[in-house]
Amino acid sequence: PQVETTEILVIGAGPAGSVAAAMLRRQGRQVLMIERQQFPRFSIGESLLPQSMEYIEAAGLLQDVVQAGFQYKNGAAFVRGEASTEFDFRDKFSPGWGTTYQVQRADFDNVLARGAERMGTTLRFGDEVLSVQPGRPARVQVRRPDGSEYTIEAGFILDASGFARLLPRLLNLESPSNFPVRGAIFCHVRDHIPADAGFDRNKILITTHPEHVDVWYWTIPFSNGCCSLGVVAEPSFFEKYPGSDEDKLRAIVGEDPNLTRLLVNAEWAVLPVRTITGYSANVSSLWGEGYALLGNAGEFLDPVFSSGVTIAFKSAELASACIAREYDGQTVDWEKDFSIPLRAGVKTFRRFVEAWYAGGFQKIIYHPDPQPDVRRMISSILAGYAWDTHNPYVADDSGRRLRVLEELCSG
Ligand code: FAD
């Protein structure tokens, strides 16, 4: 049978895959990207961080994203009962972008994939990668929508298969996440939030449940009058609510007075209510002979700080830089040049996610008299600058500085 060859095979055309494909095309590499679904398709992960703009720009996709008309975003607002605070990402410690977008992922992912295609990526929808035999070259088996199969020989594989986690499953790389299992129930609502409600559409709103510090809601406004609305909790919490997923979501939203007030006129479920559970995941290694894992195919922490797409882009940037050096005849140490730097920023986010669920981070952000310079450092991390080691809260490898700040704010 006929064997197709490519320099680089990208599996999955989500944000990680498309940005990697575009970056590799900028280096002149031959790129084939295979996506099993037809686009546009729904995906979760709708609030971007300003740090992600740097990678969109580096991939040559900035104009595509800017022109798509997504909701401008300049920060994050937090509410817990009577307490509220907000961060403007333009006021931050690290240099770089201070604004970004909130995106319907069906459109956003399509914009990125089409941009990568415009730059010369061969993009194939509807084909599914079934199996991979790693090596140089790797051999990959693919199934077309009509059920027929073909083989690809690829010089290098980037697994950007997201929550499908193709190579971790096929090659037995999965390792447990150290976060407890949590789930989310979510939908899009046509929000009709009253103009005088004090709601800033340029910010994501994160609301902590009035009684349960580890239960939280996201409200992510879009540019079309809709919001993404979701709640995150452990499965045992959701089980206490009767009825359908929509009944549960409505009941839990109804427990927060501020959200109830904002959504008083909302038309619910303009997109169907969906759920996702047990999304936190890890791998024993982010790379192997002739392949690397990008985005969610590698490690996924937690949605609370909207870091997923930023981490996906960072992985794409690091991997494409390593591939460039290999094609330049240099030897690449994938552990040192890809895995360790990627995991460094993930570790920063992990400290903050852990502090969020334990409640300490909330004490910090709601403190009535914050130090402006410390707040700018926190703002930087919330804006996604988790790799900027000039920021003391990034360099804080042991987490001591964050714990001290929590104690200071607990008084
Ligand atoms: P994906 O976007 O999942 O793309 C993977 C693609 O691979 C899919 O299109 C799939 O069809 C394709 N694929 C899979 N298997 C195959 C195969 N065998 N062959 C061919 N194609 C295949 N992140 C944020 O940045 N902001 C947020 O606000 C945010 N909120 C979140 C809320 C929740 C509840 C959850 C669970 C996550 C959230 N995230 C958020 C994280 C975000 O969803 C992910 O980090 C992001 O989508 C990862 O992108 P990706 O490119 O790695 O994978």
Side-chain angles (χ1 to χ4, degrees), residues 11-17 34-37 39 41 43-47 105 109 127-129 160-164 166 184 218 220 276 279 294-297 300 303 306-310 312:
I11 304 172
I34 300 233
E35 165 57 55
R36 69 177 173 187
Q37 291 185 266
F39 278 18
R41 56 97 180 87
S43 183
I44 192 64
E46 297 153 323
S47 195
R105 284 285 301 276
D109 290 16
D127 288 11
E128 179 171 12
V129 175
S161 64
F163 290 115
L166 186 70
W218 75 74
I220 300 175
I276 181 168
Y279 36 69
L294 304 186
N296 274 17
F300 181 71
S306 307
S307 56
V309 171
T310 300

mmCIF file of all heavy atoms in Angstrom, residues 11-17 34-37 39 41 43-47 105 109 127-129 160-164 166 184 218 220 276 279 294-297 300 303 306-310 312, ligand 1:
data_model
loop_
_atom_site.group_PDB
_atom_site.id
_atom_site.type_symbol
_atom_site.label_atom_id
_atom_site.label_comp_id
_atom_site.label_asym_id
_atom_site.label_seq_id
_atom_site.Cartn_x
_atom_site.Cartn_y
_atom_site.Cartn_z
ATOM 1 N N ILE A 11 -0.949 15.938 15.158
ATOM 2 C CA ILE A 11 -2.208 15.207 15.404
ATOM 3 C C ILE A 11 -3.135 16.103 16.213
ATOM 4 O O ILE A 11 -2.865 16.406 17.377
ATOM 5 C CB ILE A 11 -1.945 13.895 16.172
ATOM 6 C CG1 ILE A 11 -0.935 13.018 15.423
ATOM 7 C CG2 ILE A 11 -3.274 13.148 16.387
ATOM 8 C CD1 ILE A 11 -0.481 11.787 16.210
ATOM 9 N N GLY A 12 -4.211 16.588 15.584
ATOM 10 C CA GLY A 12 -5.189 17.446 16.271
ATOM 11 C C GLY A 12 -4.985 18.902 15.905
ATOM 12 O O GLY A 12 -3.871 19.427 15.970
ATOM 13 N N ALA A 13 -6.080 19.557 15.506
ATOM 14 C CA ALA A 13 -6.002 20.966 15.077
ATOM 15 C C ALA A 13 -6.628 21.902 16.110
ATOM 16 O O ALA A 13 -7.288 22.875 15.768
ATOM 17 C CB ALA A 13 -6.662 21.131 13.712
ATOM 18 N N GLY A 14 -6.451 21.593 17.394
ATOM 19 C CA GLY A 14 -6.809 22.545 18.448
ATOM 20 C C GLY A 14 -5.756 23.641 18.504
ATOM 21 O O GLY A 14 -4.886 23.735 17.623
ATOM 22 N N PRO A 15 -5.797 24.492 19.528
ATOM 23 C CA PRO A 15 -4.841 25.605 19.609
ATOM 24 C C PRO A 15 -3.380 25.152 19.591
ATOM 25 O O PRO A 15 -2.551 25.767 18.915
ATOM 26 C CB PRO A 15 -5.175 26.260 20.950
ATOM 27 C CG PRO A 15 -6.568 25.846 21.259
ATOM 28 C CD PRO A 15 -6.793 24.524 20.604
ATOM 29 N N ALA A 16 -3.065 24.077 20.298
ATOM 30 C CA ALA A 16 -1.668 23.626 20.338
ATOM 31 C C ALA A 16 -1.211 23.208 18.944
ATOM 32 O O ALA A 16 -0.142 23.622 18.470
ATOM 33 C CB ALA A 16 -1.523 22.461 21.322
ATOM 34 N N GLY A 17 -2.012 22.407 18.276
ATOM 35 C CA GLY A 17 -1.628 21.893 16.961
ATOM 36 C C GLY A 17 -1.493 22.998 15.929
ATOM 37 O O GLY A 17 -0.504 23.055 15.187
ATOM 38 N N ILE A 34 -3.597 16.561 10.989
ATOM 39 C CA ILE A 34 -4.764 15.679 10.833
ATOM 40 C C ILE A 34 -5.709 15.905 11.997
ATOM 41 O O ILE A 34 -5.296 15.830 13.168
ATOM 42 C CB ILE A 34 -4.296 14.207 10.816
ATOM 43 C CG1 ILE A 34 -3.347 14.031 9.650
ATOM 44 C CG2 ILE A 34 -5.490 13.248 10.802
ATOM 45 C CD1 ILE A 34 -3.659 12.950 8.715
ATOM 46 N N GLU A 35 -6.952 16.202 11.701
ATOM 47 C CA GLU A 35 -7.956 16.499 12.729
ATOM 48 C C GLU A 35 -9.165 15.600 12.495
ATOM 49 O O GLU A 35 -9.742 15.608 11.411
ATOM 50 C CB GLU A 35 -8.338 17.991 12.635
ATOM 51 C CG GLU A 35 -9.599 18.394 13.362
ATOM 52 C CD GLU A 35 -9.606 18.067 14.847
ATOM 53 O OE1 GLU A 35 -8.683 18.493 15.565
ATOM 54 O OE2 GLU A 35 -10.549 17.372 15.299
ATOM 55 N N ARG A 36 -9.550 14.858 13.524
ATOM 56 C CA ARG A 36 -10.603 13.850 13.305
ATOM 57 C C ARG A 36 -11.999 14.451 13.207
ATOM 58 O O ARG A 36 -12.897 13.818 12.666
ATOM 59 C CB ARG A 36 -10.555 12.779 14.395
ATOM 60 C CG ARG A 36 -10.954 13.247 15.768
ATOM 61 C CD ARG A 36 -10.932 12.079 16.743
ATOM 62 N NE ARG A 36 -11.162 12.536 18.103
ATOM 63 C CZ ARG A 36 -11.059 11.759 19.167
ATOM 64 N NH1 ARG A 36 -10.709 10.493 19.045
ATOM 65 N NH2 ARG A 36 -11.292 12.236 20.371
ATOM 66 N N GLN A 37 -12.188 15.643 13.735
ATOM 67 C CA GLN A 37 -13.517 16.248 13.654
ATOM 68 C C GLN A 37 -13.617 17.178 12.451
ATOM 69 O O GLN A 37 -12.616 17.493 11.811
ATOM 70 C CB GLN A 37 -13.813 17.017 14.940
ATOM 71 C CG GLN A 37 -14.001 16.108 16.140
ATOM 72 C CD GLN A 37 -14.424 16.882 17.373
ATOM 73 O OE1 GLN A 37 -13.611 17.279 18.187
ATOM 74 N NE2 GLN A 37 -15.715 17.107 17.490
ATOM 75 N N PHE A 39 -14.513 21.033 11.444
ATOM 76 C CA PHE A 39 -14.595 22.347 12.092
ATOM 77 C C PHE A 39 -15.639 23.179 11.371
ATOM 78 O O PHE A 39 -15.839 22.969 10.166
ATOM 79 C CB PHE A 39 -13.238 23.052 12.004
ATOM 80 C CG PHE A 39 -12.252 22.637 13.063
ATOM 81 C CD1 PHE A 39 -12.406 21.464 13.780
ATOM 82 C CD2 PHE A 39 -11.139 23.435 13.353
ATOM 83 C CE1 PHE A 39 -11.481 21.086 14.759
ATOM 84 C CE2 PHE A 39 -10.222 23.064 14.321
ATOM 85 C CZ PHE A 39 -10.381 21.899 15.018
ATOM 86 N N ARG A 41 -16.182 23.214 15.491
ATOM 87 C CA ARG A 41 -16.736 22.308 16.490
ATOM 88 C C ARG A 41 -16.545 22.935 17.875
ATOM 89 O O ARG A 41 -15.596 23.659 18.120
ATOM 90 C CB ARG A 41 -16.042 20.941 16.425
ATOM 91 C CG ARG A 41 -14.506 20.953 16.589
ATOM 92 C CD ARG A 41 -14.042 20.649 17.971
ATOM 93 N NE ARG A 41 -12.585 20.649 18.150
ATOM 94 C CZ ARG A 41 -11.874 21.727 18.427
ATOM 95 N NH1 ARG A 41 -12.433 22.918 18.501
ATOM 96 N NH2 ARG A 41 -10.570 21.642 18.640
ATOM 97 N N SER A 43 -15.558 23.496 21.688
ATOM 98 C CA SER A 43 -14.540 23.038 22.628
ATOM 99 C C SER A 43 -14.631 23.943 23.847
ATOM 100 O O SER A 43 -15.097 25.080 23.754
ATOM 101 C CB SER A 43 -13.157 23.111 21.981
ATOM 102 O OG SER A 43 -12.181 22.609 22.862
ATOM 103 N N ILE A 44 -14.172 23.464 24.992
ATOM 104 C CA ILE A 44 -14.199 24.298 26.198
ATOM 105 C C ILE A 44 -12.818 24.941 26.367
ATOM 106 O O ILE A 44 -11.819 24.403 25.900
ATOM 107 C CB ILE A 44 -14.631 23.468 27.441
ATOM 108 C CG1 ILE A 44 -14.941 24.387 28.625
ATOM 109 C CG2 ILE A 44 -13.582 22.431 27.806
ATOM 110 C CD1 ILE A 44 -16.109 25.299 28.398
ATOM 111 N N GLY A 45 -12.781 26.115 27.038
ATOM 112 C CA GLY A 45 -11.508 26.818 27.234
ATOM 113 C C GLY A 45 -11.548 28.147 26.508
ATOM 114 O O GLY A 45 -10.815 28.376 25.550
ATOM 115 N N GLU A 46 -12.423 29.040 26.981
ATOM 116 C CA GLU A 46 -12.830 30.190 26.165
ATOM 117 C C GLU A 46 -12.211 31.514 26.570
ATOM 118 O O GLU A 46 -12.356 32.512 25.868
ATOM 119 C CB GLU A 46 -14.367 30.286 26.235
ATOM 120 C CG GLU A 46 -15.027 29.057 25.627
ATOM 121 C CD GLU A 46 -16.401 28.732 26.188
ATOM 122 O OE1 GLU A 46 -16.598 28.931 27.414
ATOM 123 O OE2 GLU A 46 -17.264 28.298 25.426
ATOM 124 N N SER A 47 -11.548 31.539 27.714
ATOM 125 C CA SER A 47 -10.959 32.800 28.188
ATOM 126 C C SER A 47 -9.444 32.718 28.026
ATOM 127 O O SER A 47 -8.806 31.866 28.640
ATOM 128 C CB SER A 47 -11.348 33.021 29.655
ATOM 129 O OG SER A 47 -11.089 34.340 30.027
ATOM 130 N N ARG A 105 -14.749 28.894 21.123
ATOM 131 C CA ARG A 105 -13.665 28.052 20.621
ATOM 132 C C ARG A 105 -13.981 27.443 19.250
ATOM 133 O O ARG A 105 -13.048 27.138 18.486
ATOM 134 C CB ARG A 105 -13.339 26.972 21.650
ATOM 135 C CG ARG A 105 -12.551 27.515 22.833
ATOM 136 C CD ARG A 105 -11.107 27.773 22.465
ATOM 137 N NE ARG A 105 -10.482 26.553 22.016
ATOM 138 C CZ ARG A 105 -9.949 25.633 22.810
ATOM 139 N NH1 ARG A 105 -9.923 25.834 24.113
ATOM 140 N NH2 ARG A 105 -9.410 24.539 22.330
ATOM 141 N N ASP A 109 -10.709 28.168 17.170
ATOM 142 C CA ASP A 109 -9.887 27.050 16.694
ATOM 143 C C ASP A 109 -9.899 26.986 15.171
ATOM 144 O O ASP A 109 -8.895 26.650 14.538
ATOM 145 C CB ASP A 109 -10.390 25.731 17.301
ATOM 146 C CG ASP A 109 -10.115 25.637 18.804
ATOM 147 O OD1 ASP A 109 -9.826 26.676 19.414
ATOM 148 O OD2 ASP A 109 -10.203 24.527 19.369
ATOM 149 N N ASP A 127 -10.201 12.828 9.292
ATOM 150 C CA ASP A 127 -9.341 11.648 9.386
ATOM 151 C C ASP A 127 -8.893 11.469 10.838
ATOM 152 O O ASP A 127 -8.577 12.446 11.518
ATOM 153 C CB ASP A 127 -8.096 11.811 8.503
ATOM 154 C CG ASP A 127 -8.435 11.714 7.018
ATOM 155 O OD1 ASP A 127 -9.636 11.730 6.687
ATOM 156 O OD2 ASP A 127 -7.497 11.641 6.206
ATOM 157 N N GLU A 128 -8.830 10.216 11.270
ATOM 158 C CA GLU A 128 -8.455 9.956 12.667
ATOM 159 C C GLU A 128 -7.182 9.132 12.734
ATOM 160 O O GLU A 128 -7.068 8.093 12.070
ATOM 161 C CB GLU A 128 -9.594 9.191 13.362
ATOM 162 C CG GLU A 128 -9.259 8.879 14.813
ATOM 163 C CD GLU A 128 -10.429 8.311 15.604
ATOM 164 O OE1 GLU A 128 -11.448 7.943 14.976
ATOM 165 O OE2 GLU A 128 -10.306 8.244 16.832
ATOM 166 N N VAL A 129 -6.250 9.579 13.543
ATOM 167 C CA VAL A 129 -5.031 8.799 13.766
ATOM 168 C C VAL A 129 -5.375 7.646 14.699
ATOM 169 O O VAL A 129 -5.921 7.851 15.788
ATOM 170 C CB VAL A 129 -3.909 9.669 14.364
ATOM 171 C CG1 VAL A 129 -2.697 8.812 14.697
ATOM 172 C CG2 VAL A 129 -3.527 10.779 13.389
ATOM 173 N N ALA A 160 -1.014 16.673 19.491
ATOM 174 C CA ALA A 160 -1.820 17.781 20.011
ATOM 175 C C ALA A 160 -3.280 17.336 20.079
ATOM 176 O O ALA A 160 -4.186 18.080 19.741
ATOM 177 C CB ALA A 160 -1.651 19.015 19.127
ATOM 178 N N SER A 161 -3.476 16.089 20.528
ATOM 179 C CA SER A 161 -4.822 15.484 20.494
ATOM 180 C C SER A 161 -5.672 15.871 21.702
ATOM 181 O O SER A 161 -6.784 15.360 21.847
ATOM 182 C CB SER A 161 -4.710 13.964 20.379
ATOM 183 O OG SER A 161 -4.072 13.428 21.529
ATOM 184 N N GLY A 162 -5.196 16.746 22.563
ATOM 185 C CA GLY A 162 -6.023 17.289 23.637
ATOM 186 C C GLY A 162 -6.457 16.223 24.633
ATOM 187 O O GLY A 162 -5.698 15.305 24.956
ATOM 188 N N PHE A 163 -7.718 16.331 25.084
ATOM 189 C CA PHE A 163 -8.212 15.400 26.097
ATOM 190 C C PHE A 163 -8.275 13.960 25.581
ATOM 191 O O PHE A 163 -8.432 13.030 26.367
ATOM 192 C CB PHE A 163 -9.587 15.842 26.608
ATOM 193 C CG PHE A 163 -9.547 17.089 27.444
ATOM 194 C CD1 PHE A 163 -10.164 18.264 27.029
ATOM 195 C CD2 PHE A 163 -8.869 17.107 28.662
ATOM 196 C CE1 PHE A 163 -10.125 19.418 27.802
ATOM 197 C CE2 PHE A 163 -8.824 18.256 29.444
ATOM 198 C CZ PHE A 163 -9.450 19.417 29.018
ATOM 199 N N ALA A 164 -8.186 13.762 24.267
ATOM 200 C CA ALA A 164 -8.135 12.395 23.734
ATOM 201 C C ALA A 164 -6.828 11.708 24.141
ATOM 202 O O ALA A 164 -6.764 10.484 24.221
ATOM 203 C CB ALA A 164 -8.277 12.408 22.213
ATOM 204 N N LEU A 166 -3.877 10.906 22.834
ATOM 205 C CA LEU A 166 -3.610 9.750 21.984
ATOM 206 C C LEU A 166 -2.311 9.021 22.350
ATOM 207 O O LEU A 166 -2.324 7.841 22.678
ATOM 208 C CB LEU A 166 -3.594 10.186 20.511
ATOM 209 C CG LEU A 166 -3.458 9.028 19.539
ATOM 210 C CD1 LEU A 166 -4.728 8.191 19.516
ATOM 211 C CD2 LEU A 166 -3.128 9.515 18.142
ATOM 212 N N ALA A 184 -17.055 19.903 35.716
ATOM 213 C CA ALA A 184 -17.680 21.188 35.395
ATOM 214 C C ALA A 184 -18.994 20.932 34.675
ATOM 215 O O ALA A 184 -19.109 19.989 33.898
ATOM 216 C CB ALA A 184 -16.755 22.025 34.521
ATOM 217 N N TRP A 218 -17.582 30.233 36.539
ATOM 218 C CA TRP A 218 -17.015 31.191 35.584
ATOM 219 C C TRP A 218 -18.142 31.872 34.817
ATOM 220 O O TRP A 218 -19.152 31.245 34.515
ATOM 221 C CB TRP A 218 -16.019 30.541 34.632
ATOM 222 C CG TRP A 218 -16.556 29.684 33.530
ATOM 223 C CD1 TRP A 218 -17.195 30.090 32.388
ATOM 224 C CD2 TRP A 218 -16.471 28.243 33.429
ATOM 225 N NE1 TRP A 218 -17.508 29.012 31.603
ATOM 226 C CE2 TRP A 218 -17.087 27.867 32.214
ATOM 227 C CE3 TRP A 218 -15.926 27.248 34.255
ATOM 228 C CZ2 TRP A 218 -17.177 26.541 31.792
ATOM 229 C CZ3 TRP A 218 -16.020 25.934 33.835
ATOM 230 C CH2 TRP A 218 -16.635 25.584 32.629
ATOM 231 N N ILE A 220 -17.997 34.149 31.398
ATOM 232 C CA ILE A 220 -17.071 34.636 30.362
ATOM 233 C C ILE A 220 -17.897 35.292 29.260
ATOM 234 O O ILE A 220 -18.528 34.598 28.454
ATOM 235 C CB ILE A 220 -16.231 33.472 29.791
ATOM 236 C CG1 ILE A 220 -15.404 32.797 30.896
ATOM 237 C CG2 ILE A 220 -15.343 33.965 28.654
ATOM 238 C CD1 ILE A 220 -14.630 31.561 30.425
ATOM 239 N N ILE A 276 -18.031 17.958 31.936
ATOM 240 C CA ILE A 276 -16.737 17.290 31.750
ATOM 241 C C ILE A 276 -16.210 16.991 33.153
ATOM 242 O O ILE A 276 -16.323 17.823 34.052
ATOM 243 C CB ILE A 276 -15.765 18.143 30.906
ATOM 244 C CG1 ILE A 276 -14.440 17.432 30.712
ATOM 245 C CG2 ILE A 276 -15.560 19.521 31.466
ATOM 246 C CD1 ILE A 276 -13.541 18.078 29.654
ATOM 247 N N TYR A 279 -10.750 15.932 34.311
ATOM 248 C CA TYR A 279 -9.917 16.449 33.221
ATOM 249 C C TYR A 279 -8.454 16.643 33.619
ATOM 250 O O TYR A 279 -7.607 16.770 32.763
ATOM 251 C CB TYR A 279 -10.489 17.777 32.705
ATOM 252 C CG TYR A 279 -11.081 18.632 33.803
ATOM 253 C CD1 TYR A 279 -10.263 19.214 34.755
ATOM 254 C CD2 TYR A 279 -12.460 18.807 33.909
ATOM 255 C CE1 TYR A 279 -10.801 19.970 35.781
ATOM 256 C CE2 TYR A 279 -13.000 19.568 34.936
ATOM 257 C CZ TYR A 279 -12.165 20.148 35.877
ATOM 258 O OH TYR A 279 -12.689 20.878 36.889
ATOM 259 N N LEU A 294 1.974 17.981 23.136
ATOM 260 C CA LEU A 294 1.639 19.403 23.287
ATOM 261 C C LEU A 294 0.341 19.558 24.070
ATOM 262 O O LEU A 294 -0.525 18.677 24.047
ATOM 263 C CB LEU A 294 1.459 20.054 21.915
ATOM 264 C CG LEU A 294 2.614 19.942 20.926
ATOM 265 C CD1 LEU A 294 2.302 20.772 19.674
ATOM 266 C CD2 LEU A 294 3.936 20.397 21.544
ATOM 267 N N GLY A 295 0.176 20.726 24.687
ATOM 268 C CA GLY A 295 -1.101 21.104 25.292
ATOM 269 C C GLY A 295 -1.658 20.041 26.206
ATOM 270 O O GLY A 295 -0.939 19.414 26.986
ATOM 271 N N ASN A 296 -2.953 19.817 26.063
ATOM 272 C CA ASN A 296 -3.645 18.875 26.944
ATOM 273 C C ASN A 296 -3.229 17.425 26.753
ATOM 274 O O ASN A 296 -3.555 16.596 27.589
ATOM 275 C CB ASN A 296 -5.155 18.956 26.700
ATOM 276 C CG ASN A 296 -5.785 20.041 27.518
ATOM 277 O OD1 ASN A 296 -5.090 20.908 28.020
ATOM 278 N ND2 ASN A 296 -7.083 19.988 27.665
ATOM 279 N N ALA A 297 -2.582 17.119 25.646
ATOM 280 C CA ALA A 297 -2.099 15.755 25.476
ATOM 281 C C ALA A 297 -0.990 15.470 26.501
ATOM 282 O O ALA A 297 -0.700 14.320 26.808
ATOM 283 C CB ALA A 297 -1.576 15.541 24.061
ATOM 284 N N PHE A 300 -2.509 18.533 32.112
ATOM 285 C CA PHE A 300 -3.554 19.545 32.306
ATOM 286 C C PHE A 300 -3.866 19.666 33.785
ATOM 287 O O PHE A 300 -4.125 18.683 34.464
ATOM 288 C CB PHE A 300 -4.831 19.235 31.528
ATOM 289 C CG PHE A 300 -5.873 20.315 31.735
ATOM 290 C CD1 PHE A 300 -5.706 21.566 31.163
ATOM 291 C CD2 PHE A 300 -6.970 20.105 32.557
ATOM 292 C CE1 PHE A 300 -6.629 22.586 31.394
ATOM 293 C CE2 PHE A 300 -7.903 21.120 32.784
ATOM 294 C CZ PHE A 300 -7.729 22.360 32.200
ATOM 295 N N PRO A 303 -8.980 24.397 35.406
ATOM 296 C CA PRO A 303 -9.391 25.575 34.636
ATOM 297 C C PRO A 303 -9.399 26.905 35.388
ATOM 298 O O PRO A 303 -9.600 27.940 34.748
ATOM 299 C CB PRO A 303 -10.806 25.213 34.189
ATOM 300 C CG PRO A 303 -11.281 24.147 35.093
ATOM 301 C CD PRO A 303 -10.077 23.451 35.636
ATOM 302 N N SER A 306 -7.601 29.864 33.849
ATOM 303 C CA SER A 306 -7.672 29.944 32.377
ATOM 304 C C SER A 306 -6.300 29.777 31.727
ATOM 305 O O SER A 306 -5.972 30.459 30.753
ATOM 306 C CB SER A 306 -8.266 31.290 31.932
ATOM 307 O OG SER A 306 -9.493 31.538 32.546
ATOM 308 N N SER A 307 -5.508 28.879 32.259
ATOM 309 C CA SER A 307 -4.122 28.765 31.778
ATOM 310 C C SER A 307 -3.954 27.745 30.647
ATOM 311 O O SER A 307 -2.884 27.676 30.037
ATOM 312 C CB SER A 307 -3.209 28.379 32.946
ATOM 313 O OG SER A 307 -3.659 27.181 33.550
ATOM 314 N N GLY A 308 -4.991 26.958 30.337
ATOM 315 C CA GLY A 308 -4.828 25.819 29.426
ATOM 316 C C GLY A 308 -4.324 26.173 28.037
ATOM 317 O O GLY A 308 -3.358 25.579 27.550
ATOM 318 N N VAL A 309 -4.958 27.138 27.396
ATOM 319 C CA VAL A 309 -4.561 27.476 26.026
ATOM 320 C C VAL A 309 -3.166 28.112 26.025
ATOM 321 O O VAL A 309 -2.351 27.845 25.128
ATOM 322 C CB VAL A 309 -5.613 28.394 25.363
ATOM 323 C CG1 VAL A 309 -5.116 28.936 24.032
ATOM 324 C CG2 VAL A 309 -6.927 27.627 25.171
ATOM 325 N N THR A 310 -2.875 28.920 27.039
ATOM 326 C CA THR A 310 -1.546 29.533 27.133
ATOM 327 C C THR A 310 -0.473 28.456 27.247
ATOM 328 O O THR A 310 0.562 28.518 26.560
ATOM 329 C CB THR A 310 -1.490 30.486 28.348
ATOM 330 O OG1 THR A 310 -2.480 31.496 28.166
ATOM 331 C CG2 THR A 310 -0.128 31.125 28.498
ATOM 332 N N ALA A 312 -0.782 25.396 26.256
ATOM 333 C CA ALA A 312 -0.765 24.695 24.960
ATOM 334 C C ALA A 312 0.116 25.446 23.954
ATOM 335 O O ALA A 312 0.925 24.841 23.241
ATOM 336 C CB ALA A 312 -2.198 24.552 24.435
HETATM 337 P P1 FAD B 1 -7.859 20.504 22.075
HETATM 338 O O1 FAD B 1 -8.317 21.882 21.951
HETATM 339 O O2 FAD B 1 -8.670 19.551 22.865
HETATM 340 O O3 FAD B 1 -7.669 19.922 20.597
HETATM 341 C C1 FAD B 1 -7.381 18.579 20.363
HETATM 342 C C2 FAD B 1 -7.871 18.208 18.962
HETATM 343 O O4 FAD B 1 -7.347 16.912 18.609
HETATM 344 C C3 FAD B 1 -9.385 18.083 18.884
HETATM 345 O O5 FAD B 1 -9.886 18.947 17.890
HETATM 346 C C4 FAD B 1 -9.618 16.608 18.558
HETATM 347 O O6 FAD B 1 -10.733 16.402 17.714
HETATM 348 C C5 FAD B 1 -8.317 16.212 17.881
HETATM 349 N N1 FAD B 1 -8.021 14.778 17.995
HETATM 350 C C6 FAD B 1 -8.085 14.015 19.111
HETATM 351 N N2 FAD B 1 -7.717 12.761 18.849
HETATM 352 C C7 FAD B 1 -7.416 12.705 17.524
HETATM 353 C C8 FAD B 1 -6.991 11.650 16.657
HETATM 354 N N3 FAD B 1 -6.804 10.400 17.094
HETATM 355 N N4 FAD B 1 -6.766 11.927 15.350
HETATM 356 C C9 FAD B 1 -6.977 13.213 14.881
HETATM 357 N N5 FAD B 1 -7.382 14.233 15.676
HETATM 358 C C10 FAD B 1 -7.600 13.985 16.978
HETATM 359 N N6 FAD B 1 -8.199 27.006 28.916
HETATM 360 C C11 FAD B 1 -8.068 28.329 28.756
HETATM 361 O O7 FAD B 1 -7.053 28.767 28.230
HETATM 362 N N7 FAD B 1 -9.041 29.194 29.179
HETATM 363 C C12 FAD B 1 -10.169 28.757 29.802
HETATM 364 O O8 FAD B 1 -11.030 29.561 30.156
HETATM 365 C C13 FAD B 1 -10.317 27.359 30.007
HETATM 366 N N8 FAD B 1 -11.431 26.861 30.605
HETATM 367 C C14 FAD B 1 -11.545 25.505 30.766
HETATM 368 C C15 FAD B 1 -12.653 24.987 31.434
HETATM 369 C C16 FAD B 1 -12.768 23.620 31.662
HETATM 370 C C17 FAD B 1 -13.956 23.081 32.412
HETATM 371 C C18 FAD B 1 -11.768 22.744 31.187
HETATM 372 C C19 FAD B 1 -11.857 21.286 31.415
HETATM 373 C C20 FAD B 1 -10.661 23.261 30.511
HETATM 374 C C21 FAD B 1 -10.537 24.623 30.301
HETATM 375 N N9 FAD B 1 -9.437 25.158 29.642
HETATM 376 C C22 FAD B 1 -9.296 26.502 29.522
HETATM 377 C C23 FAD B 1 -8.396 24.287 29.082
HETATM 378 C C24 FAD B 1 -8.540 24.133 27.572
HETATM 379 O O9 FAD B 1 -9.765 23.508 27.280
HETATM 380 C C25 FAD B 1 -7.422 23.276 27.012
HETATM 381 O O10 FAD B 1 -6.236 23.520 27.686
HETATM 382 C C26 FAD B 1 -7.171 23.513 25.532
HETATM 383 O O11 FAD B 1 -8.336 23.274 24.796
HETATM 384 C C27 FAD B 1 -6.048 22.623 25.059
HETATM 385 O O12 FAD B 1 -5.876 22.726 23.678
HETATM 386 P P2 FAD B 1 -5.226 21.547 22.848
HETATM 387 O O13 FAD B 1 -4.878 22.125 21.537
HETATM 388 O O14 FAD B 1 -4.174 20.876 23.645
HETATM 389 O O15 FAD B 1 -6.385 20.437 22.696
#
